[in-house]
Amino acid sequence: MEVQVLYNVFHHEAVSLLIAIYFHIVGLHAGCSIVSITATLLGKTEYKPVAKIGAIFVIILFSISPIFLLTDLFQPLRFWYLFLHFNPTSPLSWGTFFLCAYPTFTGIYIYFLFKNNVKWSKIFGVISLPFAISVHGYTGFVLGFAKARVLWNTAVMPSYFLCSAMISGMAFMLIVALIRYRFTYKDKTVEEREKDLHIIDLLAKWMAGFMILNVFYVFSDITVMYYHTEDAFETVELVRLGKFSFLYIWVDNVLGNIIPSLIIIFKKTRKSHLLLLIAAILASIGVFVMRYVMVFGGQYVPLS
Amino acid sequence: MEKEVRWGMVVDLRRCVGCHACQVACKAEHEVPLGVWRIWVKVIQKGYYPEMAAVSLPWDCPYCERPEEARYPRMQTLFLPWLCNHCERPICNTVCPVGAAYKRKDGIVLIDPHRCIGCNYCRAACPYNVRFANPITGMIQKCDFCVHRVDAGLPPACVEACPTNAMVFGNLRDPSSKVSQLISKEKVQVLKQIMATFPQVYYIGLDKDVADPLKGWEKHFYHKEYERL
Ligand code: SF4
Ligand code: SF4
């Protein structure tokens, strides 16, 4: 039997590209600050440069991220209503709280970091770490609580988003560290070079670890959806075979996760800085594509 | 003591003739701009014919190759007025960060136009795709059961416009109202029960294919007709 829709109404997409970009930038700076704080907390002096590079990018990226959020509002001049009215059941309200608390504590942390005050930078590092995690973690809940869309409404969403935030943050810092090494290694002693290389190595290894975790999340998300409701089945078919399959499976997962992690896992390829740079760039592209597919793939399946 | 009021609607799809009068009445009542709708009548055809065709289409159907063969009784046309369900547990209210989406004591789900910041989150979360951003004012809007008319003691515009009385509006808590009687006597169904929003718009004679958004969408979701909307 055939069914043909003769008349139906589809209202335009609720979540726009600006929000996908916002998710990406928030992920980037949350990832950077988590790496930076972890480096500070581990307390080895050779991690200092990583912590500082991370901190600088946190400031830059954080200052541009609210622009995307505000321009997406249909009534942007009313954004301050978010501070007046708190709704505990809405993750956007939590986000408002985190977006205020996070720069405060991280700002103090960055101040002490650049003052070389180890004790206080550690204390504020510990305080701002949960905020750095939640400032990106809430975006996962934002999508997760939209119960209309099966692609979003899954329990792995917050952790999946956090994991990809770590990948994008680390990839970004890896790119910066590689460029920094390329331009400064001539003036450095062999010992300093060793340290820099050690940091690059470490960042790459952690990034590969998170990539493998990410692939696991994708795998469990897609396979569980196959055993879910009709909507979920259609959505996963869309992601696997349909309009988004090229972007999601090939660009995000194969090019963005599997190939870079393979580059990092094999010692020979890991030693090549060009390949590492390519891996980091691929990973950043992969994470952005993942945000894009999540936002638009989730909204592609009709609701009416 | 004032009797408790809980407004609700029953749509008797056995009576619906698909005239779209409710849709037009709503447009006129609320000055809904082009391209968006507070209520619309979804129309589908189903049957055992490979090249199904339009019998009563408002435009020329591009899929229609042998219209003379694709007629009753090989197939049937189904209508479904689709509007905000004024859910008992509205997810749109749950997720609104500023509390602009709210539910009145009498069950009508509204949006406070002075408080809504237009974050679109309710639109992303509503499982029924009934919320839209007004393209002229940028306000988030949806069916409000014609709250201004209901408060004045009138039925909503769609109910009043319906020529076959397929739409019935009334107090669900009042056992003598027509909606309560229909719900207790007839076999009623709601849309997307699985979403646990507990809709307050009930349908009599709802067909699973017209209620299923995924049916027939492969061909039609990016149909040129809708791209313009
Ligand atoms: S149908 Fe959608 S907009 Fe209407 S009350 Fe339910 S969740 Fe809210
Ligand atoms: S668009 Fe308006 S009503 Fe909807 S969730 Fe945002 S503030 Fe609330």
Side-chain angles (χ1 to χ4, degrees), chain A residues 2 4-9 11-12 74-75 78 81 85 87 89-90 93 142 147 149 230 300-301 303-304, chain B residues 23 40-41 43 45-47 50 94-97 113 116 118 120-121 123 129 139 192 195 212 220-221:
Chain A
E2 269 195 42
Q4 186 169 324
V5 182
L6 299 187
Y7 180 81
N8 201 357
V9 170
H11 288 134
H12 46 120
F74 279 135
Q75 306 292 333
R78 291 187 185 168
Y81 286 17
H85 312 285
N87 181 1
T89 55
S90 168
S93 265
V142 168
K147 75 159 86 170
R149 327 270 171 172
E230 185 199 0
Y300 187 73
V301 176
L303 295 176
S304 59
Chain B
Q23 198 170 346
W40 67 92
V41 184
V43 185
Q45 281 183 342
K46 66 172 187 175
T94 314
V95 300
C96 177
C116 170
N120 278 285
Y121 193 17
R123 291 188 47 223
N129 182 33
M139 302 306 300
K192 299 194 190 180
M195 287 294 168
D212 185 354
H220 278 268
F221 186 51

Side-chain angles (χ1 to χ4, degrees), chain A residues 7 36 69 79 89 100 133 246 277 289 292:
Chain A
Y7 180 81
S36 164
L69 209 51
F79 75 92
T89 55
C100 296
I133 294 172
F246 173 71
L277 188 69
V289 166
Y292 177 85

